[in-house]
Amino acid sequence: MSEESALAVLRLLREGDGQSIHRVAKRLQLGLSELQRVLAALGDDPRFDGLDLVERRQDGERTLLWLTEKGRSLVDSA
């Protein structure tokens, strides 16, 4: 995972939570598999030592991305 991609995801979600995973990938020009790896690190999955900065929520078949409280605190202080 590149730090640059992780920061870009956090900044994009700071602009507006609840964006679909496909929209985030397209806006950041990332492949879906690359974005999935970034989200594994930014999420809360203990198998991947997740940082608990981003959470995924299902809306029907769509996966939406949201900053956690911890993630919002981090990007607001940056």
Side-chain angles (χ1 to χ4, degrees), residues 5-20:
S5 296
L7 289 172
V9 169
L10 295 174
R11 287 185 188 121
L12 183 60
L13 293 178
R14 180 182 184 197
E15 294 173 12
D17 271 336
Q19 297 187 51
S20 77

Side-chain angles (χ1 to χ4, degrees), residues 1-50:
M1 172 195 74
S2 89
E3 289 179 27
E4 186 176 301
S5 296
L7 289 172
V9 169
L10 295 174
R11 287 185 188 121
L12 183 60
L13 293 178
R14 180 182 184 197
E15 294 173 12
D17 271 336
Q19 297 187 51
S20 77
I21 194 169
H22 293 284
R23 179 185 173 125
V24 170
K26 184 175 181 177
R27 289 203 51 202
L28 298 179
Q29 299 179 345
L30 297 173
L32 195 54
S33 61
E34 181 179 356
L35 179 57
Q36 295 281 13
R37 287 190 297 275
V38 170
L39 293 173
L42 294 177
D44 64 353
D45 192 329
R47 295 176 297 169
F48 302 108
D49 294 327

Side-chain angles (χ1 to χ4, degrees), residues 51-69:
L51 299 171
D52 192 28
L53 301 175
V54 174
E55 84 177 280
R56 300 175 200 215
R57 298 181 191 168
Q58 288 302 126
D59 180 26
E61 293 189 19
R62 293 175 18 162
T63 301
L64 304 178
L65 303 176
W66 297 79
L67 287 174
T68 63
E69 192 172 313

